[in-house]
Amino acid sequence: MSAYAVTALMFLSMLFLMGTGLPIVYCLGSVGTLAAVFLWGEGALDIVYFSTLELMNNIVLSAVPLFIFMGFVLHESKIAKDLFDTVYLWSGRLRGALGIGTVLICALMAAMLGVSSATVLSMGVIAVPAMLAKRYDKRLAVGIVQAGGALGFLIPPSMMMVMYSFLTGVSVGRLFAGGIVPGLLLAGLYVLYIAVLAWLRPEAAPALSEEERAPLPVRLRSLAALILPLALIFSILGCIFLGVTSPTEAAAIGAIGAMFCAAVKRRLSLAMLRAACTQTFAICGFAGFLIIAALIFSKVYTGLGATAMIRRLVLGLDPDPLAVMAVIQLSFFILGMFMDDIAILFMCMPIYIPIITGLGLDPVWFGVLFVVNMQMAYITPPYGLNLFYMKAVAPKDVLLKDIYLGALPFIAIQALLLILLMLFPQLVTWLPNRIFS
């Protein structure tokens, strides 16, 4: 059977299984394993063992549970509430200030947590009810938190960047540095959108009333809540960018630092640690099985020679690199509407990375574009996970329709950022080249 025929059969089989509602981990794993046995006999079952061993022995991926644990310790210790209280006190007579402050808190939490779910759950419980109580448009309120939570994909430490590094061999430090400028730019675009909307439609994002505004001494005292989170962020990123530690060691520093922050706030307890560990194990266990299944699928696919076949086919056409990149990003966007981001990563990168390197494009730039696209996937219906996280914690009068429609303007903003990064790669590559030159 030709590589073309097996490729078509594998992908069609996987899509059929997904259509039955079977979890993606079983779709990838079963198709990959059965294809290996069909093509190479029972001895090919060793691929399951070696894929599992590859996951277990990779030192880069050990940063993932440490960063996730750090995020949930900060989530369970209510540090997000302290940050939001500070923003609330500083939300004065400026219309939209509470929404703008929520975006800034989400960006700050993204730099501490690295996972989208913890940010959306925290701010969904804290910020959405507060904005609705101040008569914010409910679609705007939930859209701000969903999009702000997705900043965790782009602003380091990013779990998706760690996994991209594991699969492609690209430096995690360079990826983290490459995500800083786009992440801050995206947060700035969110802020600009909220400010313009509040100016055009004052009823959508009203300012606090005179009696709700805090006096200056109270506001100044509230700034103390920023000290520990900022110190944690700078200690993690500083260790990586200054070359003091590897990203894995920096993740360990972050986990210890998060427990220290909770202890300083007198919120460190066995119950809190148990809750953080339980959620960390749940996410890492799911991700681990999904990575093993995706590795099996991609190894079989690559072993068929299909990756080399597609590379020769595309490069033989002598295409315009920007056009190829646009097609690839469109494929990511479509897949992101229906599939898990980890599955997309492990399915597509063995195909796309050889094409990207063959065209002479920067894999760091490509990685950041992929992360931006997966960030869009998290708030794009019908599969966007942040939509479901928000539905789980939003007030009862916020309907799923409101959650979907609230995400649409922010999806457009993310698409605008993606286009800007494609047209101006220096927005991604400038900082890594400065730091790691």
Side-chain angles (χ1 to χ4, degrees):
M1 187 177 293
S2 69
Y4 290 101
V6 176
T7 298
L9 185 60
M10 287 180 66
F11 277 93
L12 289 174
S13 300
M14 188 190 65
L15 292 174
F16 171 77
L17 291 176
M18 288 175 59
T20 66
L22 194 67
I24 185 66
V25 62
Y26 300 122
C27 299
L28 286 169
S30 60
V31 170
T33 304
L34 291 174
V37 173
F38 173 75
L39 292 168
W40 303 310
E42 293 182 4
L45 288 174
D46 287 346
I47 197 172
V48 178
Y49 167 76
F50 286 111
S51 296
T52 305
L53 197 64
E54 182 177 349
L55 173 66
M56 293 171 61
N57 289 339
N58 190 276
I59 191 67
V60 173
L61 282 185
S62 61
V64 172
L66 291 169
F67 278 132
I68 293 176
F69 174 74
M70 177 185 75
F72 280 112
V73 167
L74 295 172
H75 169 67
E76 294 293 334
S77 59
K78 310 299 182 187
I79 288 179
K81 186 179 185 305
D82 297 338
L83 296 175
F84 185 78
D85 290 342
T86 301
V87 166
Y88 184 86
L89 291 173
W90 283 89
S91 301
R93 58 177 57 88
L94 178 66
R95 290 198 297 265
L98 194 57
I100 291 171
T102 300
V103 170
L104 299 179
I105 293 300
C106 286
L108 190 61
M109 290 182 66
M112 292 189 295
L113 306 185
V115 287
S116 178
S117 58
T119 305
V120 174
L121 293 172
S122 293
M123 301 309 291
V125 170
I126 300 166
V128 171
M131 286 189 279
L132 295 180
K134 302 309 170 190
R135 305 176 303 281
Y136 268 61
D137 180 274
K138 58 183 178 181
R139 293 177 181 174
L140 175 64
V142 295
I144 289 171
V145 172
Q146 291 174 132
L151 287 170
F153 273 84
L154 196 52
I155 298 177
S158 163
M159 298 303 98
M160 185 50 59
M161 289 182 179
V162 174
M163 293 187 184
Y164 177 86
S165 171
F166 160 71
L167 194 59
T168 63
V170 176
S171 163
V172 178
R174 292 185 70 88
L175 287 166
F176 281 1
I180 291 177
V181 172
L184 295 178
L185 180 58
L186 183 58
L189 290 173
Y190 289 163
V191 168
L192 180 62
Y193 166 70
I194 296 167
V196 171
L197 183 66
W199 179 63
L200 295 175
R201 292 176 50 206
E203 73 282 0
L208 297 182
S209 62
E210 191 66 39
E211 58 271 15
E212 292 173 320
R213 297 170 192 165
L216 182 61
V218 174
R219 284 182 283 158
L220 291 175
R221 284 197 298 272
S222 71
L223 294 176
L226 299 176
I227 295 174
L228 287 176
L230 289 176
L232 183 61
I233 292 168
F234 287 121
S235 64
I236 296 171
L237 298 184
C239 286
I240 295 173
F241 295 150
L242 295 176
V244 178
T245 67
S246 69
T248 303
E249 292 160 337
I253 292 172
I256 295 171
M259 290 189 288
F260 175 77
C261 292
V264 170
K265 294 285 186 178
R266 298 183 179 180
R267 298 168 189 168
L268 184 66
S269 65
L270 286 176
M272 186 271 288
L273 289 175
R274 186 181 302 112
C277 287
T278 300
Q279 294 176 88
T280 300
F281 292 154
I283 291 179
C284 291
F286 167 77
F289 280 112
L290 185 54
I291 291 171
I292 293 170
L295 277 173
I296 294 169
F297 187 93
S298 63
K299 284 179 182 297
V300 173
Y301 184 75
T302 303
L304 290 168
T307 299
M309 172 193 71
I310 293 176
R311 180 179 182 273
R312 288 194 302 269
L313 179 65
V314 173
L315 296 182
L317 298 174
D318 193 23
D320 176 33
L322 190 60
V324 173
M325 184 64 76
V327 172
I328 290 175
Q329 297 306 318
L330 180 61
S331 73
F332 286 150
F333 179 76
I334 295 172
L335 289 171
M337 296 173 65
F338 305 101
M339 292 181 63
D340 186 90
D341 51 337
I342 300 174
I344 296 171
L345 175 72
F346 282 84
M347 277 180 52
C348 295
M349 289 308 157
I351 303 172
Y352 289 153
I353 285 295
I355 295 174
I356 293 302
T357 54
L359 292 171
L361 301 176
D362 189 337
V364 173
W365 174 55
F366 179 67
V368 172
L369 292 179
F370 169 75
V371 169
V372 172
N373 221 314
M374 292 303 98
Q375 180 181 242
M376 293 172 64
Y378 254 56
I379 63 171
T380 301
Y383 186 78
L385 287 179
N386 279 4
L387 306 174
F388 302 119
Y389 291 140
M390 179 54 64
K391 181 58 181 174
V393 298
K396 293 183 179 179
D397 59 331
V398 178
L399 306 177
L400 189 60
K401 176 184 176 182
D402 299 318
I403 293 172
Y404 279 7
L405 293 177
L408 294 181
F410 294 95
I411 295 171
I413 294 171
Q414 291 171 336
L416 174 61
L417 175 72
L418 187 65
I419 293 170
L420 288 174
L421 297 182
M422 288 176 62
L423 296 176
F424 304 102
Q426 298 84 358
L427 292 172
V428 175
T429 59
W430 174 78
L431 190 57
N433 290 338
R434 292 280 297 189
I435 295 176
F436 298 100
S437 60

